[in-house]
Amino acid sequence: MFSLMSQCADQLEQYLEKLSSKNEPVECCELMAKYTTNVIGTCAFGIEMYSLSDEDSEFRRIGRLIFAPTWEHSVRFRCVQFLPQILCNLLSYIVPKTEVTKFFTRIVIETMDYRDANNIVRHDFIDTLRELKKHPEKVGDIDLTDYVIAAQAFVFFGAGFETSSTTMSNALYELALNQEIQDKLREEINDEYIRHNGNFTYENIKKMNYLDKIFKETLRKYPSVPYLQRKTTSSYTFGSTKVNIPKGQDIWIPVYAIQRDPDIYPKPDVFDPERFTDEVVQTRHPMFYLPFGDGPRNCIGARFAVYQTKIGLIKILRNYKVETCEKTQIPYINHPKTHILQSENGIYLNIIKINQS
Ligand code: HEM
């Protein structure tokens, strides 16, 4: 899996060569979304997405549609959040299927049929879905229709690419604003490059401490999922107070607010990777850092996200310097309408080639 990710990162590097030669500011949210679309397509679906090389890639177009902050999306999202399940189920039969639903149903069913007909096994996400289709008893009384199967693929794709791509573009934004942090990271990348003859493996990347601290601080300051949702399974009263949350209550856990609380993270708007040294981390309650959630329904793609982000950043920063430009929005403005935390006007940066031996 990691080697497939690494190939996508190599394609990103080639694409950057083309982009940087234009000497124009680059919109990094779109750039990173193209990269992570490529990674998820290659690793999870076994489909070459061409999202970097092809400006009109179908997958990238659908990816944009999923997260477009439109009225229709808002209404659908709120219905799922607030209407009783039974009403939602009923509505799903009445409301017409969107282009995204049709696209995912077609692509997933076609890919599964193609693999069945040609005896192809890749041990990826599509194979897991094929396995479930062959053995529906494994999912109890859930009716595994084509729509239900496509919905699993949709969640995986939707949850996987935009969260990671915004994390990458936010990291680049902070590195452009904090050149000394960028230089220090490049030093670590170059040391690793020399130590391992240019071969960045999963194991090597795991040992890169400074990169890890930057990754964590990026998700501290910009948690892609700004709040978590839960329903209480029992009534709970806080300490010696009378504040009570009754059983069955829907609650939102405000990750963004916790991770920007000055009592927990002093000077929360300062980007400081040193908040994530082992010693400092031990002084904080573990629930004060929740970018991937926690408990049995936490993010299943966390490790995938960590490595696609890190290998992508390594490939960019080894050969390119990122700098702010006239089009860079400073300070960062949160988009008021998106569900995933994003900057309102994109992240424009100069990406300048540096000569490495
Ligand atoms: C930086 C990148 C990512 C972030 C910040 C992130 C964050 C999250 C968060 C906060 C949740 C909810 C957890 C909870 O409620 O406790 C979640 C759920 C989920 N994530 Fe991620 N995620 C990322 C990348 C990915 C990737 C790459 C994939 C798949 C390849 C993925 C797949 C999922 C799925 C399927 C769920 C739903 C799990 C469930 O409901 O049981 N995520 N993610």
Side-chain angles (χ1 to χ4, degrees):
M1 180 76 81
F2 182 75
S3 66
L4 291 174
M5 259 181 206
S6 199
Q7 281 168 26
C8 294
D10 288 340
Q11 287 166 12
L12 170 67
E13 209 179 346
Q14 287 156 20
Y15 183 64
L16 279 180
E17 181 86 39
K18 207 168 87 181
L19 268 190
S20 67
S21 66
K22 290 185 186 164
N23 287 326
E24 284 169 8
V26 176
E27 205 288 285
C28 292
C29 301
E30 177 61 22
L31 172 67
M32 295 295 89
K34 284 180 171 179
Y35 162 67
T36 56
T37 301
N38 224 12
V39 176
I40 196 112
T42 309
C43 298
F45 296 93
I47 299 168
E48 174 59 83
M49 305 259 178
Y50 301 107
S51 48
L52 281 164
S53 54
D54 176 4
E55 292 302 326
D56 304 315
S57 151
E58 185 69 347
F59 257 96
R60 182 63 203 118
R61 192 179 67 78
I62 292 294
R64 265 187 225 114
L65 272 184
I66 295 173
F67 290 99
T70 60
W71 276 108
E72 191 198 335
H73 280 170
S74 281
V75 172
R76 281 178 187 262
F77 188 74
R78 297 288 169 217
C79 286
V80 173
Q81 263 185 330
F82 296 117
L83 291 183
Q85 182 74 42
I86 192 155
L87 203 55
C88 279
N89 292 349
L90 205 66
L91 278 174
S92 71
Y93 289 104
I94 305 163
V95 177
K97 305 274 177 270
T98 63
E99 188 186 352
V100 175
T101 312
K102 287 182 200 152
F103 175 82
F104 269 93
T105 311
R106 178 176 61 77
I107 212 86
V108 171
I109 302 305
E110 275 176 9
T111 309
M112 291 201 300
D113 288 350
Y114 181 81
R115 288 193 190 180
D116 282 344
N118 295 282
N119 254 333
I120 297 169
V121 179
R122 288 185 85 243
H123 303 291
D124 58 8
F125 187 66
I126 288 286
D127 279 355
T128 309
L129 294 176
R130 285 168 73 199
E131 190 61 22
L132 286 180
K133 208 174 166 193
K134 277 185 205 143
H135 301 282
E137 70 281 1
K138 286 187 179 172
V139 290
D141 56 1
I142 297 172
D143 187 11
L144 272 183
T145 62
D146 286 354
Y147 283 129
V148 171
I149 287 178
Q152 310 314 306
F154 167 77
V155 167
F156 209 72
F157 178 73
F161 90 88
E162 189 88 352
T163 43
S164 295
S165 71
T166 53
T167 304
M168 291 182 78
S169 52
N170 290 331
L172 290 177
Y173 177 78
E174 288 293 341
L175 292 172
L177 288 172
N178 297 283
Q179 288 292 322
E180 68 297 348
I181 297 179
Q182 185 181 154
D183 290 344
K184 195 168 163 191
L185 174 58
R186 188 170 298 105
E187 232 171 77
E188 185 183 58
I189 294 172
N190 286 341
D191 286 351
E192 283 301 310
Y193 185 88
I194 293 166
R195 193 170 304 136
H196 303 288
N197 289 326
N199 190 16
F200 285 98
T201 61
Y202 176 86
E203 291 302 327
N204 303 340
I205 293 176
K206 210 170 166 183
K207 290 185 201 133
M208 295 176 69
N209 279 333
Y210 200 58
L211 176 61
D212 190 55
K213 287 193 279 185
I214 287 174
F215 176 78
K216 287 177 175 154
E217 174 65 348
T218 305
L219 276 174
R220 194 278 305 167
K221 195 170 170 190
Y222 306 98
S224 325
V225 181
Y227 60 92
L228 305 173
Q229 289 175 281
R230 291 291 185 273
K231 191 189 271 281
T232 52
T233 52
S234 60
S235 163
Y236 182 82
T237 304
F238 287 91
S240 54
T241 71
K242 287 186 180 158
V243 180
N244 172 267
I245 307 178
K247 184 179 173 183
Q249 174 76 52
D250 287 321
I251 57 165
W252 288 6
I253 300 161
V255 177
Y256 183 92
I258 293 171
Q259 296 185 176
R260 295 262 186 148
D261 184 336
D263 290 338
I264 302 170
Y265 295 97
K267 297 192 184 153
D269 295 335
V270 173
F271 185 80
D272 179 9
E274 300 313 313
R275 298 181 201 273
F276 288 93
T277 60
D278 290 344
E279 303 76 55
V280 179
V281 168
Q282 273 164 26
T283 63
R284 285 190 300 258
H285 193 289
M287 292 302 115
F288 290 161
Y289 186 68
L290 291 166
F292 291 111
D294 198 66
R297 294 303 295 266
N298 72 349
C299 175
I300 55 168
R303 205 144 53 102
F304 189 99
V306 169
Y307 285 94
Q308 72 170 330
T309 303
K310 287 184 178 176
I311 185 73
L313 288 176
I314 287 172
K315 296 285 170 155
I316 297 171
L317 293 163
R318 185 171 137 72
N319 287 310
Y320 298 89
K321 191 178 166 80
V322 285
E323 284 181 353
T324 55
C325 60
E326 275 181 10
K327 285 180 87 175
T328 314
Q329 172 108 59
I330 305 171
Y332 190 101
I333 298 177
N334 295 342
H335 200 300
K337 290 193 184 145
T338 52
H339 299 295
I340 284 183
L341 183 71
Q342 279 177 348
S343 97
E344 186 169 25
N345 300 309
I347 294 180
Y348 286 89
L349 298 173
N350 283 333
I351 301 187
I352 303 149
K353 175 122 192 176
I354 43 178
N355 291 320
Q356 296 271 10
S357 57

